[in-house]
Amino acid sequence: MQIRDLPYPDPGDPDVRSGPRFLLWLGRNQLKGQLRSMSWGLLHQCSIAGLPPAVGLAVQAVVDRSGSRLAWSGGLIAVLGVLIALGDTMLHRTAVTNWITAAARVQQLLARKTAELGSALTRRVAAGEVVAVSTGDVEKIGWFVEALSRFAAAAAALVLICAGLLLYLPSLGILVTLAVPLLALAVLPLLPRATRRADLQREKAGKATELASDTVAGLRVLRGIGGEELFLGRYRRASQEVREAAVRSARMWSLISAIQVLLPGVLLISLVVYGAVLARDGRIDVGQLVTVYSAATLLLFPLRHFEEIAMAYSFSRPSAQRAVRVLSLRRTDRPSSVDAAPAGDLYDPVTGLMAPAGLFTAVVCGDPDEAGRLAERLGGHAQVNADPDAVADRSGRAAESEGGARDASDADAAARSAPSVLLGGVPLDELPLDSARTAVLVQDKDPVLLSGTLRELLDVPSSGRVTAEEALTAAQCGDVLDSLAQASLATDGDPMTTRITERGRSLSGGQRQRLALARSLVTDPEALVLDEPTSAVDSHTEARVAAGIKALRRGRTTVAFASSPLLLDLADRVVLVHRGTVVAVGGHRELLHTDPRYRAVVTRETDDEIAALTSRGATMTIEEIEERA
């Protein structure tokens, strides 16, 4: 397998029952590469093992003063040197190829799972854990896959060398043969302890990564409330815990390495003493002693692969377990005979939210998190299930965390058992994934812009009814186009060819939000769900954006989660969702006048102000309400 063959057309269906089973699945899928690497490893190890007999023959030829045998021995050593160089080169090439291809397969699986689950992934698995799996963990998994073939070649070479020594010189060969298994297995009692320490280090490192990811994501807010130093102190403590765990783990591995140096040294000393006695008594030749000593010395090289495979497995097993935790998540799809995406009303049976076909519906929620969850449900993204073992593992870890574990578990169970959103009377989770995504598009409140030109950004699967120019105009992107035109490297100043940096960092928050809105409008789905589409723009621009959305989406189903009066006043109908249930439906002005809960959300009234007005029986005129809003 060459690197140019990546990525795989289909990375396969992984075995996610456990971390070791996942590693075994990876090894089976690279069986040819493993056999190829093992073959080159055997050539390398056996060529090295052939050096001691060749050197012994040369020494004996010198003792016997035989020029022809010395020349023959020298030629044999030269051939073995060429084979050693060839085997070592090809072993390294094939082993690293196994490493890279295994890591690439895991990354493809993670990317496919991320695309399948969408935003629901980070509700089940912490963002820091996803980052740790897709970066550091894939390398450690690849390391184990790479080390496996070298270990197999080393084990086979040890068997061949011991068998050869038994046939060549039984008196010394039996000593080496009995000692080699003891040397290989001497560190086994220490491995469980070393593995536990490595697991603890990985766990603490993962928590530190999650803390760092969360801190960076909320850095602006932390600075605003003066909490930057607090979280920095937490990360310092977490970092020190990782350092201490790494030191304890390194001490154990250094002890294992010391044992693997000490015991072979004892073997060599014993071999030299015993061999010298035999040579003095004339029971063996000097050349034979040199041959056996050289072979025993070279045995130390394949023995080191036993330590490497133990370390690789100890580090890769928790990494594989983390990968399994992500890959075991499933989107709950039910078989259906529906082939094409339906059209009609968008209805959520859990909350009672109805978005009639062809109308612009605005949804008001007092809780922004509740609005985000409801938006995900409307897109069919919240229906996620997981492997039972992975769920049990997460539940056990959650039970040890600070408070809320039972509530989180109940919320997860409710999300999995809740009925699906209906589009035209057809459950979204009964549709094929591609059809469901085509029918309903959800734009998050914090959409992501990928790097590339503006033309590439807007080159998305679409109905073809909305052009890029129309979408940009509706999203009020005129100032964005002007700034991109000034930054364009083209002579004609075409903003469509201007490159946008990763995540749109070169643009302001309002510009990024409007470009993402234009991208969603170009797609022109049957139902478009927008979560706070104008939260980052000023009031004047917000009114024009709302009018542009309504005009461009006329005759198509649009749902916007918002609390801005400027947007709500343009909606065909407004729905108030309170504590997970629809409690009021009507026009913006009507609800302002008749529903105190709606008025509290839109005008930002406090509970004390509402209670005071209610106790006095006071009411406000519509002009006062609008002025307050």
Side-chain angles (χ1 to χ4, degrees):
M1 171 73 66
Q2 302 298 322
I3 296 177
R4 63 173 176 268
D5 294 327
L6 300 176
Y8 294 101
D10 180 11
D13 187 16
D15 188 344
V16 294
R17 288 176 290 178
S18 66
R21 288 178 182 271
F22 180 66
L23 292 174
L24 179 62
W25 177 83
L26 279 176
R28 287 202 310 267
N29 277 270
Q30 292 186 219
L31 188 58
K32 290 183 178 179
Q34 294 289 339
L35 292 176
R36 189 180 295 115
S37 181
M38 181 179 173
S39 300
W40 289 114
L42 275 174
L43 175 63
H44 179 233
Q45 300 281 357
C46 291
S47 299
I48 293 177
L51 282 176
V55 172
L57 290 174
V59 171
Q60 194 63 43
V62 172
V63 173
D64 297 339
R65 299 182 181 277
S66 174
S68 59
R69 280 191 293 157
L70 180 61
W72 187 86
S73 301
L76 178 60
I77 291 174
V79 171
L80 290 174
V82 173
L83 292 178
I84 290 172
L86 176 63
D88 193 21
T89 301
M90 296 307 298
L91 170 62
H92 178 75
R93 179 183 177 88
T94 53
V96 172
T97 300
N98 288 337
W99 181 345
I100 294 175
T101 50
R105 186 187 296 273
V106 177
Q107 285 183 325
Q108 272 189 265
L109 291 170
L110 291 171
R112 185 176 68 180
K113 182 60 63 176
T114 302
E116 175 187 340
L117 299 180
S119 60
L121 173 62
T122 52
R123 292 197 304 105
R124 290 304 188 87
V125 182
E129 186 169 352
V130 177
V131 172
V133 171
S134 60
T135 53
D137 285 338
V138 295
E139 294 185 6
K140 294 175 180 60
I141 292 172
W143 177 28
F144 174 75
V145 173
E146 176 217 6
L148 188 60
S149 57
R150 290 208 303 265
F151 165 73
L158 283 177
V159 173
L160 292 176
I161 292 173
C162 290
L165 288 178
L166 281 174
L167 296 176
Y168 177 71
L169 192 62
S171 56
L172 292 179
I174 191 171
L175 174 62
V176 176
T177 303
L178 292 176
V180 165
L182 295 178
L183 296 179
L185 302 177
V187 297
L188 281 183
L190 299 176
L191 287 180
R193 196 171 188 180
T195 301
R196 287 195 298 271
R197 291 190 178 187
D199 289 349
L200 180 62
Q201 177 195 353
R202 290 295 166 195
E203 180 182 353
K204 290 184 177 296
K207 290 181 179 179
T209 302
E210 293 176 18
L211 180 60
S213 175
D214 294 341
T215 303
V216 171
L219 189 58
R220 181 177 299 177
V221 177
L222 291 175
R223 285 176 175 170
I225 62 176
E228 183 179 0
E229 286 300 324
L230 174 63
F231 274 78
L232 183 59
R234 290 181 181 177
Y235 180 74
R236 284 173 178 160
R237 289 193 296 272
S239 179
Q240 288 303 311
E241 290 179 1
V242 173
R243 182 188 63 80
E244 292 171 1
V247 170
R248 294 182 71 247
S249 178
R251 285 174 180 169
M252 183 57 64
W253 288 113
S254 64
L255 177 61
I256 292 175
S257 298
I259 291 175
Q260 290 199 327
V261 172
L262 174 64
L263 294 183
V266 173
L267 169 64
L268 291 179
I269 294 174
S270 303
L271 187 65
V272 169
V273 172
Y274 183 57
V277 172
L278 294 179
R280 185 192 61 186
D281 296 340
R283 297 167 60 182
I284 62 172
D285 297 329
V286 175
Q288 290 177 319
L289 175 59
V290 172
T291 299
V292 176
Y293 174 79
S294 301
T297 303
L298 293 176
L299 281 175
L300 305 184
F301 180 71
L303 277 174
R304 292 177 182 173
H305 290 292
F306 284 74
E307 177 189 0
E308 182 190 16
I309 194 65
M311 291 184 65
Y313 180 74
S314 298
F315 281 90
S316 65
R317 187 179 60 82
S319 296
Q321 191 61 47
R322 273 201 292 265
V324 163
R325 192 174 300 131
V326 176
L327 296 176
S328 61
L329 297 175
R330 293 288 185 268
R331 182 178 185 270
T332 306
D333 287 321
R334 301 169 187 166
S336 173
S337 58
V338 180
D339 296 327
D345 300 338
L346 186 64
Y347 175 66
D348 177 24
V350 174
T351 60
L353 173 62
M354 168 70 77
L359 296 184
F360 182 13
T361 301
V363 181
V364 176
C365 290
D367 182 3
D369 293 334
E370 181 183 6
R373 291 191 294 268
L374 181 52
E376 290 179 0
R377 273 191 52 77
L378 291 178
H381 295 294
Q383 302 301 312
V384 180
N385 210 334
D387 176 75
D389 295 336
V391 171
D393 178 64
R394 282 196 302 277
S395 300
R397 289 187 293 111
E400 299 173 358
S401 62
E402 292 186 19
R406 180 171 297 179
D407 293 340
S409 177
D410 293 343
D412 285 348
R416 291 194 295 272
S417 61
S420 171
V421 170
L422 307 178
L423 179 63
V426 178
L428 279 182
D429 61 6
E430 291 188 4
L431 291 174
L433 184 59
D434 292 342
S435 299
R437 293 279 173 87
T438 302
V440 182
L441 173 66
V442 179
Q443 177 177 303
D444 295 335
K445 64 178 64 179
D446 296 314
V448 176
L449 301 182
L450 302 179
S451 60
T453 64
L454 181 56
R455 179 174 287 110
E456 292 171 342
L457 175 69
L458 299 178
D459 185 17
V460 292
S462 64
S463 65
R465 287 188 289 265
V466 178
T467 65
E469 291 74 16
E470 292 173 337
L472 290 169
T473 301
Q476 302 300 312
C477 294
D479 63 318
V480 185
L481 296 177
D482 292 340
S483 62
L484 291 177
Q486 293 177 0
S488 176
L489 299 178
T491 56
D492 57 353
D494 185 6
M496 301 299 289
T497 62
T498 303
R499 190 164 189 82
I500 300 174
T501 57
E502 181 187 3
R503 301 180 69 90
R505 300 186 190 277
S506 58
L507 304 172
S508 68
Q511 290 175 330
R512 289 196 298 269
Q513 190 175 56
R514 282 176 283 157
L515 284 181
L517 175 60
R519 179 179 58 187
S520 300
L521 293 175
V522 165
T523 305
D524 189 38
E526 179 65 30
L528 176 62
V529 180
L530 305 172
D531 190 2
E532 295 287 354
T534 58
S535 59
V537 299
D538 58 79
S539 299
H540 180 64
T541 306
E542 182 179 32
R544 291 187 295 158
V545 170
I549 295 174
K550 183 175 182 179
L552 190 63
R553 293 285 300 173
R554 183 172 289 110
R556 311 286 277 173
T557 305
T558 307
V559 180
F561 288 83
S563 59
S564 168
L566 296 172
L567 189 148
L568 297 173
D569 196 37
L570 290 173
D572 295 321
R573 64 199 301 267
V574 180
V575 178
L576 174 63
V577 177
H578 181 66
R579 295 182 179 178
T581 305
V582 172
V583 295
V585 179
H588 168 60
R589 294 172 180 266
E590 174 191 352
L591 293 177
L592 272 178
H593 192 65
T594 60
D595 195 300
R597 289 171 298 191
Y598 179 83
R599 185 168 64 247
V601 175
V602 175
T603 63
R604 277 71 170 178
E605 288 180 356
T606 65
D607 294 338
D608 292 339
E609 291 173 330
I610 296 174
L613 287 173
T614 304
S615 63
R616 297 197 311 264
T619 60
M620 291 187 290
T621 65
I622 192 67
E623 290 78 10
E624 291 173 332
I625 293 172
E626 290 178 346
E627 181 179 356
R628 189 182 183 92

